[in-house]
Amino acid sequence: MKFETPAGRNPIDQGRVVGQRHSRIDGSLKVSGLAPYAHEYHAEVPGVAYGVMVGAGIGKGKITAIDTTRAEAAPGVLLVMTYKNAPKQYGIGHAPPGSPPPAKGEKPGQFNAPQLQGPEIRHYDQSVAFVVAESFEQARDAAQLVRISYAATAGKFDLAAEKQRGTVPEDAPDSDIGDFDKAFAAAPAKVDVTYTTPDQAHSMMEPQASIARWDGDELTLWTSHQIIHWAVQGVAGTLGIPADKVRVVSAYIGGGFGSKLMIYGDPILAALAAKKLDRPIKVALTRPQIYNHTSHRPATIQRLRLAADKRGKLLAIGHDVWCGNQKGGEPEKAADQTKLLYAGANRLLRTRQALLDLPLGASMRAPGEAVGLLALECAMDELAETLGLDPIDFRILNDTQFDPEKGPERPFSSRHLVECLRTGAEKFGWSKRNAKPGMVRDGRWLVGIGVASAIRNNLTMASGARVHLAGDGVLTIQTQMTDIGTGSYTILAQIGAEMLGLPMDKVRVELGDSRFPQSAGSGGSWGANSASAGLFYACENLRAAIAARAGYNSSDTSFADGRISANGNSRRIADIAGKDGISAEGKVEFGDLTERYAQAAFGAHFAEVAVDSVTAEVRVRRMLSVCSAGRIINPQTARSQCLGGMTMGIGAALMEEQQVDTRFGYFVNHDLAEYQVPVHADIPDMDVIFLDKVDDKSSPIKAMGVGELGICGVGAAVANAVYNATGARVRDYPLTLDKIMVKMAV
Amino acid sequence: MKAFTYERATSPADAAAAVAATPGARFIAGGTNLLDLMKLRIETPGHLVDINHIGLDRIEVMADGRLRIGALVRNTDLAADKRVRRDYAVLSRALLAGASAQLRNKATTAGNLLQRTRCHYFYDATKPCNKRVPGSGCAALGGINRNLGVLGTSDQCIATHPSDMAVAMRALDASVETVAPDGTTRAIPIADFHLLPGTTPHIETALQPGELITGVVLPAPLGGRHVYRKVRDRASYAFAVVSVAAVVAPGGTRLAFGGLAPRPWRVEAAETQAERGGEAVAEVVLAGAKPTEQNRFKLPLVTRLLTSVLADS
Amino acid sequence: MTRREAIAVGGAAVATATTAQAAGGAPEAPAPALVEVTLRVNGRAQPLRIDPRVTLLDALREHLHLTGTKKGCDHGQCGACTVTVEGRRINSCLSLAVMHDGDSIGTIEGLGRPGKLHPMQAAFVAHDGFQCGYCTPGQICSAVAMLDEIKAGIPSHVTADLMQVSFSDDEVRERMSGNICRCAAYPNIVAAIRDVQSAKS
């Protein structure tokens, strides 16, 4: 079904199950260790051999010699694969044979990831060998015996040095509205500040891992991937086999955050070796390999020029972004939120992307906004201070109800930023804030509070589902949709229960298998809304089929308490399903509502920090996020998503940074001890408030994603709080103690 | 991880003899650092002698009032020992500031002293490191070195010793007791236990091949106020950026530092300046410091810490 | 640093890479004999013949197929592999199985199962103390052992008076810091533990 007109009233609006708090239906499996992740299919795949990948020891250059003699002679070794004996594979540009032509905006074979195809090294820890042995210990040992010599060549590893050679990315053209230069020059109040954000790593807890098994010419991959059909496309395309010969299973995924949207070495190497050895192969990337072999959030340099009139109305908004990536890699669109967040007649947004030889930069939780807001929302505070305005008043003054680039003809589908700010201000006690920095002391701690606006573009994706009602009254939902911790299992059960009038314990959900209907998958916060919408239409079709089989007029049926009712008649739907059951499929496709309306989720983040007046260590004392993201399908799992985003935002503000050694061209701190993410002791009790305003233009569910909204702006709220506490304005993320200490007045 | 053979020793003498008898053999106790490094093939023992069953797991008050800590006393047990909490609080505090509960439950007193540096390049087998491969060079000089040393370093190595426990022990003037393969025992003052890198950064301690640490002896209780302040980039489960162990006692002030040098750092001459305040002490402690651009901040940080710690007393 | 220096250093790296990866020099020794180990896992004796290099974690996951214990980093940096040995929580990735011959090992599978969850497992479900679930068994095993540590009077970094140990949210946060949750269910985990603690006392 194409969703192209605003949704009317529908069964989801009943709010009997949807919108209610439900514990995760997969919860008891997860807490008892029984939910199987990619590496854990012992019963299904007996007799595996173990693979260990060897990564390149240089950042750029060429392999000059490989000696596999010792590795091959090591006990238990079955195969040592290098570019010299790896099968030919296919790169980007090669769709799986028999594929339909790519959709608009898609490149054929865009997810392909060939491994071991030649001596060239394009980034550190690129796969250079794959060692398979009877046991993991033997494979790891032999992998360490592969001798590789390289000729390193000079690479481009330093964004600051390369930024001037940046070019305009194809999908981030300049936006030049009004006359920015003139307006900025003439304005009475302005800031011109440059912020930098570092490379960041997803650092999800489950490493990328795969088990590959061939049955004839059919490959089954148990792997950890956020979007099943992308995995199928990438693997089939790389191997040059039809997509219907590849089955991908990702039933449980140990965290994603964007790290499992692409194909890396593990599924490809496992599939190739399994074919060669005619035996199932299992491999997980090692934790140190993850940081340089896979992708990361790329660093940015951002110049913000904001100007306002004396009352605080923004006159000019300039946002210049410099980022870098490998050839073919995407830009970090850090100016995206600046298009929509505030009013202002003169706007200049520019992105320049330089070529870098670092590992591939790609999506990490809220690509674009997450780092763009780190700069924009601090610059807004800087201008508010220049104007002598309260940061919240300043933001409210510059609210807009339509796309400021396009004008009133493109209104927001819904926008409650002002309410988020006001609600949060009241709940957080904003009025007690001392606007003058460095004034509040608590023993040896300096205390401050900060705020930032949040915005995350609402993305949608076609999504399908299959539903089956059995004679015992159990509804089974099948879709390729994944649950990366987001709560998909639970919210889809809620949609099914709501639509069919069933209790939650009569609904089963099966996810993450390419044998199920293609779905949106988990990425860009589109999953919950899109997959629920696809399921909604599948359930509508099932309702119609039940009604038809019952002989009811389907236009005025209702489903409740396990029964269908119409015109005073009522029957148990289990009885109608009978022993063969009754099935339906459905799919959502999205029309042009996202073009006609600006669609985004909004929020406001509030942080209170304490900064040690001696050491400049920062501790977050409390946080509140007020979110408006359409209908909240499950307030419990949605709240958890926000808490996760807030915590990752605290990490981005205070500690997360992949340190680049520009001599060797790699991320030096490539493990969980040295790439620091927040631990329990860093995170206080935090609060989340949902405004729960439905948005009838987002989908029939009237929902939006919250998983990324939770991180957008958080780091800036923390940085603004650090400034309020200390008077130290650090514009180089993360705000580590060394940077704060030198700027602290005391 | 290179293949190895494994045996369980039953007594300290048995263990020392077993390691001496087998080339490439190593003791393994908690394993929390050794196994970490073996997985990366940075440590490559061919034989492991498991010393977890040889005793040495008790904490005893000696006749002269000193406290002997068995080499295999786990970090958790040492930190929780009532005598240590009461009389050597700086040691409890230092231990509890380190690692995680899980690691402290396994890590031993001797193993903690023998921890190897967390320098990024030491951990990267593809990069030059004089400590890992003598003569290969030091990638940390001119590399990412924010967390590395400013004192006692050399042009061959600027690694720091990562232990918190050892910093407290240095402030307490502990003594490390050992047994050699031939059965002879000796006591090494902790000041002499860890070596500076000089031109041999791969030689980190005064231990001879096969020599086994049997215990650590603390002097009789010093009294006074005990402080361990650890500065780090997150609130827990992180190595020190800088730390200070302070014992402010009637008999004088003792100050030792972590995160600054290849060994727990203490400058006794500086302690006599304590009454003149943190800056005066820091001036002596930091004399001759050779910071890099990235870790220069450690100098003012030490000064601020000292000023704060001494002002509180 | 100048470009020329960078290239020179790069050259050094090449030499080192070769040297390091050739460490040892001599031909590989034959595989050492497998060793006999009996682990007592969740109360049941589990005899194994294994390579001495097998960690306790891999013995559980790959040999006993008890995959509830997770491998997040394999280097003691995340806590996903937390199990108890003789009642004490440790990182099973940094211990060899052979070192635990005869030891009692407690894993998540021994705590409870669906329909018969341990109170800590049930509290995690009730408070949404997890999202992706990968760190969860480690968090739960850690939490159960952590409450025992408080009860036993073991102090922590945030214990104000080392001689007085008691339960508090800050104590929980510090003591659980060896278990990283990237989904960041931290506040919910603390709430779950608080519930279990108050039900106990």
Side-chain angles (χ1 to χ4, degrees):
Chain A
M1 183 72 84
K2 192 152 200 175
F3 180 72
E4 51 193 349
T5 52
R9 193 172 162 76
N10 66 45
I12 299 297
D13 293 314
Q14 298 171 118
R16 184 181 58 83
V17 189
V18 169
Q20 305 299 318
R21 184 189 154 104
H22 282 280
S23 291
R24 287 167 201 264
I25 62 170
D26 50 336
S28 60
L29 281 180
K30 283 182 172 174
V31 298
S32 51
L34 298 178
Y37 297 79
H39 200 261
E40 302 175 344
Y41 286 85
H42 286 289
E44 292 78 358
V45 204
V48 297
Y50 290 80
V52 169
M53 188 187 85
V54 180
I58 60 168
K60 186 178 169 67
K62 238 181 150 147
I63 297 171
T64 52
I66 301 186
D67 181 356
T68 57
T69 328
R70 287 181 64 202
E72 279 164 346
V77 170
L78 302 169
L79 172 69
V80 180
M81 194 161 59
T82 68
Y83 78 88
K84 296 191 172 180
N85 61 346
K88 177 173 165 52
Q89 300 145 61
Y90 303 89
I92 291 168
H94 298 268
S99 297
K104 199 178 153 214
E106 285 181 7
K107 287 179 228 158
Q110 62 182 334
F111 304 112
N112 292 11
Q115 308 291 315
L116 310 177
Q117 292 298 283
E120 291 79 24
I121 302 302
R122 292 192 186 84
H123 67 89
Y124 193 88
D125 263 343
Q126 169 186 325
S127 64
V128 289
F130 189 62
V131 179
V132 182
E134 292 289 346
S135 76
F136 169 63
E137 292 73 24
Q138 291 168 332
R140 178 177 57 195
D141 183 16
Q144 290 164 333
L145 295 174
V146 176
R147 294 181 54 164
I148 303 180
S149 305
Y150 304 96
T153 50
K156 300 177 173 68
F157 304 117
D158 184 351
L159 175 60
E162 299 301 324
K163 79 187 229 287
Q164 292 315 327
R165 279 181 279 281
T167 56
V168 183
E170 206 176 303
D171 53 347
D174 291 357
S175 170
D176 189 352
I177 314 267
D179 189 339
F180 172 82
D181 286 337
K182 197 172 150 196
F184 186 76
K190 62 189 93 174
V191 293
D192 179 352
V193 287
T194 298
Y195 282 80
T196 59
T197 66
D199 298 287
Q200 294 175 347
H202 311 87
S203 299
M204 67 294 154
M205 298 314 296
E206 182 207 20
Q208 282 86 357
S210 297
I211 304 175
R213 185 185 72 200
W214 291 88
D215 300 285
D217 63 350
E218 295 189 357
L219 171 67
T220 304
L221 272 173
W222 290 264
T223 190
S224 196
H225 203 287
Q226 296 175 223
I227 301 182
I228 298 297
H229 67 282
W230 288 9
V232 169
Q233 289 292 318
V235 170
T238 304
L239 301 180
I241 61 176
D244 62 6
K245 297 291 186 192
V246 177
R247 180 184 172 205
V248 166
V249 179
S250 299
Y252 292 92
I253 295 160
F257 318 114
S259 68
K260 293 164 179 172
L261 290 169
M262 329 259 301
I263 301 283
Y264 303 106
D266 56 295
I268 302 298
L269 294 167
L272 295 171
K275 189 82 178 171
K276 267 187 185 253
L277 293 168
D278 193 20
R279 185 169 168 183
I281 304 294
K282 177 174 187 173
V283 58
L285 297 184
T286 68
R287 182 57 60 174
Q289 287 174 338
I290 292 170
Y291 291 85
N292 284 287
H293 175 75
T294 73
S295 64
H296 63 279
R297 188 202 297 282
T300 65
I301 298 169
Q302 302 180 49
R303 182 183 184 195
L304 266 300
R305 286 178 290 170
L306 304 177
D309 67 18
K310 283 184 181 149
R311 291 181 308 119
K313 278 273 187 194
L314 283 167
L315 299 171
I317 300 175
H319 195 163
D320 287 298
V321 176
W322 290 271
C323 58
N325 212 333
Q326 294 204 350
K327 190 162 183 283
E330 293 190 351
E332 183 65 28
K333 296 190 223 168
D336 264 9
Q337 73 289 324
T338 311
K339 291 178 184 175
L340 291 174
L341 192 49
Y342 298 115
N346 303 287
R347 318 171 72 89
L348 179 60
L349 313 183
R350 296 180 296 199
T351 301
R352 297 294 177 268
Q353 183 178 358
L355 268 181
L356 290 180
D357 296 306
L358 287 170
L360 184 69
S363 295
M364 176 168 151
R365 199 174 204 157
E369 288 98 328
V371 291
L373 286 162
L374 286 175
L376 174 63
E377 284 299 284
C378 283
M380 284 293 284
D381 259 39
E382 294 201 63
L383 184 53
E385 189 180 35
T386 304
L387 289 158
L389 283 176
D390 177 85
I392 292 179
D393 293 342
F394 179 50
R395 285 171 171 86
I396 290 173
L397 187 63
N398 288 290
D399 186 49
T400 172
Q401 289 297 311
F402 54 81
D403 176 345
E405 287 189 348
K406 304 270 165 61
E409 57 274 24
R410 188 174 187 242
F412 279 94
S413 58
S414 60
R415 173 170 166 133
H416 304 284
L417 173 62
V418 170
E419 196 176 339
C420 289
L421 286 163
R422 289 211 166 112
T423 304
E426 194 199 319
K427 299 276 183 197
F428 201 70
W430 181 261
S431 61
K432 296 195 187 79
R433 171 180 179 265
N434 190 326
K436 197 173 167 204
M439 300 307 289
V440 182
R441 262 193 109 102
D442 176 8
R444 73 169 204 261
W445 298 93
L446 296 162
V447 182
I449 65 177
V451 68
S453 300
I455 177 174
R456 171 64 183 164
N457 225 2
N458 182 46
L459 304 176
T460 52
M461 204 60 140
S463 194
R466 179 188 300 148
V467 284
H468 177 79
L469 181 70
D472 58 2
V474 171
L475 177 74
T476 300
I477 297 165
Q478 293 179 325
T479 160
Q480 285 185 12
M481 181 62 193
T482 52
D483 189 331
I484 60 175
T486 38
S488 309
Y489 277 105
T490 310
I491 62 161
L492 292 177
Q494 288 176 264
I495 300 287
E498 191 76 80
M499 291 297 290
L500 274 299
L502 291 169
M504 283 288 278
D505 62 6
K506 290 285 184 194
V507 184
R508 288 203 189 115
V509 183
E510 297 176 17
L511 300 180
D513 190 326
S514 57
R515 290 180 171 175
F516 304 149
Q518 183 173 316
S519 104
S522 303
S525 286
W526 61 60
N529 184 41
S530 301
S532 295
L535 174 60
F536 171 88
Y537 289 124
C539 289
E540 280 214 321
N541 293 341
L542 183 63
R543 287 164 60 114
I546 292 168
R549 194 183 284 185
Y552 291 174
N553 177 351
S554 70
S555 66
D556 54 4
T557 53
S558 69
F559 289 74
D561 304 324
R563 307 181 75 84
I564 176 173
S565 307
N567 305 325
N569 298 317
S570 171
R571 283 180 67 190
R572 289 182 66 233
I573 58 173
D575 296 340
I576 298 167
K579 78 171 168 27
D580 294 336
I582 184 163
S583 299
E585 288 199 17
K587 180 180 178 185
V588 67
E589 288 173 296
F590 290 90
D592 64 354
L593 283 172
T594 49
E595 282 150 45
R596 283 156 54 201
Y597 296 89
Q599 294 194 16
F602 289 88
H605 298 293
F606 296 79
E608 178 179 316
V609 304
V611 182
D612 189 313
S613 60
V614 176
T615 64
E617 289 166 289
V618 181
R619 301 288 177 256
V620 177
R621 287 192 165 181
R622 59 193 181 104
M623 267 207 77
L624 166 67
S625 295
V626 184
C627 298
S628 171
R631 185 195 305 282
I632 299 303
I633 300 171
N634 181 335
Q636 185 177 41
T637 54
R639 177 176 177 273
S640 293
Q641 279 284 287
C642 284
L643 293 177
M646 290 154 75
T647 302
M648 208 177 271
I650 290 171
L654 300 179
M655 63 188 83
E656 294 188 34
E657 174 180 18
Q658 291 186 285
Q659 295 167 310
V660 182
D661 186 321
T662 56
R663 303 165 306 167
F664 300 116
Y666 79 126
F667 299 124
V668 171
N669 51 334
H670 47 66
D671 63 32
L672 280 169
E674 303 299 332
Y675 182 86
Q676 297 198 353
V677 302
V679 296
H680 272 280
D682 291 297
I683 303 304
D685 262 339
M686 304 195 291
D687 207 0
V688 182
I689 295 170
F690 293 112
L691 295 186
D692 208 4
K693 307 268 191 187
V694 298
D695 187 322
D696 63 358
K697 289 145 198 111
S698 75
S699 84
I701 310 298
K702 308 173 188 172
M704 290 183 187
V706 295
E708 295 180 313
L709 184 67
I711 192 175
C712 292
V714 170
V718 172
N720 288 335
V722 168
Y723 176 75
N724 182 240
T726 63
R729 176 60 74 183
V730 178
R731 300 191 185 89
D732 175 27
Y733 286 98
L735 278 58
T736 48
L737 60 100
D738 45 329
K739 298 174 195 169
I740 298 169
M741 188 181 73
V742 297
K743 292 195 169 189
M744 278 199 318
V746 284
Chain B
M1 190 187 291
K2 196 176 125 182
F4 55 82
T5 48
Y6 169 89
E7 73 176 291
R8 260 190 196 192
T10 52
S11 72
D14 176 29
V19 164
T22 318
R26 293 285 300 271
F27 303 113
I28 185 164
T32 53
N33 193 210
L34 182 60
L35 287 169
D36 173 32
L37 294 168
M38 285 169 65
K39 288 179 184 190
L40 299 166
R41 219 181 177 89
I42 292 164
E43 297 272 16
T44 54
H47 184 65
L48 285 183
V49 177
D50 183 346
I51 56 171
N52 285 293
H53 303 271
I54 62 170
L56 305 180
D57 55 355
R58 290 169 55 190
I59 303 170
E60 301 159 306
V61 180
M62 298 161 72
D64 57 4
R66 295 185 296 157
L67 191 75
R68 176 180 279 132
I69 303 157
L72 291 164
V73 172
R74 309 290 154 171
N75 288 176
T76 297
D77 298 328
L78 182 54
D81 184 273
K82 286 226 164 86
R83 293 158 295 188
V84 175
R85 280 194 261 172
R86 188 187 60 219
D87 298 332
Y88 307 94
V90 67
L91 179 58
S92 271
R93 291 284 181 202
L95 283 159
L96 296 170
S100 67
Q102 289 96 316
L103 290 164
R104 293 193 296 269
N105 277 340
K106 203 82 180 68
T108 62
T109 307
N112 192 320
L113 283 175
L114 295 173
Q115 273 186 87
R116 308 204 65 191
T117 185
R118 307 300 299 202
C119 174
H120 301 303
Y121 302 97
F122 174 71
Y123 263 75
D124 248 323
T126 61
K127 297 290 168 285
C129 172
N130 289 321
K131 191 183 276 299
R132 180 167 29 77
V133 182
S136 61
C138 173
L141 283 163
I144 303 294
N145 51 37
R146 171 181 182 265
N147 295 337
L148 300 181
V150 297
L151 287 162
T153 55
S154 74
D155 59 4
Q156 304 262 311
C157 183
I158 58 170
T160 50
H161 195 267
S163 173
D164 292 296
M165 180 197 80
V167 177
M169 286 182 171
R170 181 70 181 88
L172 292 168
D173 269 331
S175 153
V176 182
E177 295 188 338
T178 69
V179 59
D182 66 3
T184 56
T185 60
R186 63 168 174 154
I188 310 167
I190 193 157
D192 302 331
F193 184 79
H194 294 104
L195 306 180
L196 293 182
T199 56
T200 54
H202 58 292
I203 303 172
E204 296 174 349
T205 69
L207 293 177
Q208 297 298 309
E211 190 174 5
L212 175 72
I213 298 174
T214 53
V216 173
V217 174
L218 304 182
L222 301 166
R225 199 173 62 91
H226 288 219
V227 177
Y228 190 75
R229 285 275 287 277
K230 177 172 178 175
V231 181
R232 43 187 158 176
D233 288 320
R234 66 182 176 195
S236 188
Y237 204 13
F239 292 95
V241 173
V242 164
S243 69
V244 57
V247 178
V248 183
T253 297
R254 294 152 173 252
L255 298 162
F257 301 88
L260 293 183
R263 66 183 184 199
W265 198 254
R266 182 169 170 200
V267 181
E268 279 85 345
E271 293 164 1
T272 59
Q273 305 292 310
E275 289 191 355
R276 293 179 52 215
E279 290 201 20
V281 176
E283 200 176 316
V284 183
V285 170
L286 299 173
K290 280 193 214 157
T292 66
E293 275 310 303
Q294 293 164 31
N295 67 18
R296 191 173 298 279
F297 73 95
K298 289 188 176 185
L299 309 186
L301 182 55
V302 165
T303 307
R304 295 167 75 106
L305 258 182
L306 277 173
T307 304
S308 163
V309 166
L310 294 174
D312 287 352
S313 55
Chain C
M1 113 178 298
T2 65
R3 172 66 56 85
R4 192 193 296 169
E5 280 166 339
I7 294 168
V9 175
V14 176
T16 313
T18 310
T19 316
Q21 287 176 11
E28 271 310 278
L34 300 183
V35 292
E36 311 265 349
V37 180
T38 298
L39 304 176
R40 290 197 295 127
V41 183
N42 302 325
R44 200 170 135 204
Q46 298 276 13
L48 291 168
R49 272 191 89 230
I50 51 169
D51 187 317
R53 291 173 292 184
V54 175
T55 60
L56 178 56
L57 172 62
D58 287 326
L60 293 169
R61 284 175 64 81
E62 303 304 323
H63 295 264
L64 298 174
H65 298 184
L66 292 170
T67 52
T69 307
K70 303 302 182 193
K71 185 185 283 191
C73 73
D74 215 15
H75 287 276
Q77 301 163 352
C78 78
C81 68
T82 302
V83 300
T84 57
V85 174
E86 302 296 336
R88 295 171 71 129
R89 53 178 169 157
I90 67 160
N91 298 115
S92 61
C93 72
L94 287 186
S95 207
L96 297 170
V98 68
M99 292 163 72
H100 294 286
D101 191 24
D103 283 352
S104 282
I105 317 293
T107 75
I108 191 73
E109 290 90 348
L111 276 185
R113 54 184 59 241
K116 207 183 165 189
L117 295 178
H118 181 279
M120 190 65 79
Q121 292 170 315
F124 267 61
V125 175
H127 288 275
D128 216 30
F130 56 92
Q131 294 197 64
C132 82
Y134 200 76
C135 74
T136 311
Q139 298 275 358
I140 291 171
C141 287
S142 195
V144 170
M146 184 271 300
L147 290 181
D148 290 343
E149 289 167 10
I150 292 179
K151 205 170 155 198
I154 294 170
S156 87
H157 172 63
V158 299
T159 308
D161 175 352
L162 285 176
M163 308 309 281
Q164 297 283 333
V165 177
S166 60
F167 182 95
S168 72
D169 286 1
D170 279 346
E171 285 283 357
V172 171
R173 291 187 187 106
E174 163 59 23
R175 291 165 187 269
M176 290 297 291
S177 283
N179 291 86
I180 292 176
C181 173
R182 186 59 159 162
C183 299
Y186 295 137
N188 296 347
I189 293 171
V190 174
I193 294 171
R194 196 189 295 136
D195 254 22
V196 172
Q197 169 68 16
S198 56
K200 270 182 157 183
S201 53

